[in-house]
Amino acid sequence: MNTLNARWNPQQPSPMPYHRYRPFDERVDVPATDRSWPSARIERAPLWVPVDLRDGNQALAEPMDTARKRRFYDQLVATGFKEIEVGYPSASRMDFDFVRHLVTAGAVPDDVTPVVFTPARRDLIDRTFEAIAGLPRAVVHLYIATSPVWRDVVLGRDRGEVWRTVRAAAEHMARRAEGTGTSVRFQFSPETFNLTEPDFVLELCDGLTELWDASPDRPVTHNLPATVEIATPNVYADQIEYLHRHLARRDSVILSVHPHNDRGTGVACAELAVLAGAQRVEGCLFGNGERTGNVDLVTLALNLYAQGVDPMLDFGDIDAVRETVEHCNRLPVHPRHPYAGELVHTAFSGTHQDAISKGLAHHARRAAESGVPEGQAPWSVPYLPIDPADVGRSYEAIIRVNSQSGKGGAAYLLRTRHGVDLPPRMRPDFSRVVQRATDDSGREMTAKELYELFRSTYVIDDGEVTLDAWSVHEDTSGRHRFVCTLRTGDRTGDFEGTGTGPVSAFVDALTGAGHAVEILDFAEHTDAGGETTAYTECRVAGTARWGAGQDTSAVSASVQAVLSALNGAMR
């Protein structure tokens, strides 16, 4: 349905020259298939292959030196990656030297396979094999661009010439791999796959599968890059499923994908590609790479985690991983980056804070009722797709208060950081106090500042009315007698009152001193250290006012709360 100029859609044609660009279906044939990927589910993690040390490194203004690369490599190994692209040895001395460093330092664990990258040139292939000499095992990754625009504009070769170039390179790789002492497997990437004719991709991949004599015990990897995104992710999934169905010796092929993020849909492309049959995903931690980057492996892995699927990687200390990546790349991770950004588990909005606070309390109750530790109990908390503690984040930063926050956020921080559990009826009142303060300052309030604001607003030690001395006694009938010396301004007098409890007796004494006070609400709690916080809402001269008191004596805290409410009303 054309909605242009509909009453509800007043948008007008743009002056931008959009006619210069062609839709994907005019640039590449995507065979119509009986799709199975839309109904598939991801039930296990693919093989993750980080390319930070090669592809990601190429995209840095300051490429990593050996020390930074080694720190990054060690982080990748510690995180659980088992196949790691470690460099492009023929591209630079620095890349060559790093691969040699891994060899001479014995830095490759028995269960980790390094991957090295080479173009389809004999001399560069030789340089690559020189770099890996002495490694126990390696994958040598051969690539060539294959799409029509690259063949015509960049390479100046037709399909037959590209195939002959690839075949000659692959044959040379097979010869070089013999007798090296390194267990070598092969990988091929038809660069710009997503713009290449599907029949040509099959011709190239099947030809190399046969040439390298792939078998289930020694499979070949065919890596299909979305080198520059050109379409919606479903189109890439269709392309992957077509290859998945038609590749020869399918049980001897590891089908891999390498999505970039030019349209901002790299994560979706990778996930849909796995649904379509991909078994391996290349990407970078936090998505570094040329232009808008490679697909983000952290997001992909934790997306699976949030669905109850083991990601086969350990991001239990996400901040340590982020710190390493930021140091090595010299690029910051965005504060809103999924899972790892500084602010992604944080709520400023009042409605969000209220839901999270209630959700955390509900989670704690259900865990206790089930006899299961909170960190092992099923997770279901509004606005938090995973438990921040699972990635090493504390709950302290979940709720932060600014002018957009509501009553729940400030109450949560006071309770969790300072043991002050505001009664429900008191929270809207304090929220208004916080709102005024944050509107005036224009900035966020810390938990410490919130506590100081609570104290200055509700715990009033220097008001118009003060208790110079007081005592309370209970008689045999259970009635309480409150005796006190009250000072109001410069007038001091002795007063007494009676009631069913200390607080009502104190209110009676205040009435005798000319201060009419009516208790509307009262609450108190005692913390583990023995300090009681009391909260009292009083009506004074027709105005409702909250007061609070804190003391190791519950009676003293209650008396202080009433007196604070009275003094607050008289300000």
Side-chain angles (χ1 to χ4, degrees), residues 6 10 23 119 138 146 157 179 203 260 263 306 380 387 417 420 438 446 562 566:
T146 56
R157 302 174 191 176
E203 179 185 344
H260 278 255
R263 291 168 54 96
S380 182
D387 186 345
R417 301 293 296 280
V420 173
T438 51
T446 66
V562 173
L566 171 61

Side-chain angles (χ1 to χ4, degrees), residues 497-564:
T498 59
T500 56
V503 173
S504 60
F506 177 47
V507 167
D508 189 43
L510 288 173
T511 301
H515 303 296
V517 176
E518 178 187 357
I519 303 293
L520 301 177
D521 197 6
F522 177 83
E524 66 179 12
H525 60 81
T526 302
D527 63 22
E531 182 173 71
T532 296
T533 303
Y535 314 88
T536 305
E537 184 184 19
C538 299
R539 180 177 287 115
V540 180
T543 300
R545 174 75 188 198
W546 280 93
Q550 294 177 306
D551 201 282
T552 53
S553 162
V555 173
S556 294
S558 303
V559 169
Q560 185 183 20
V562 173
L563 192 60
S564 293

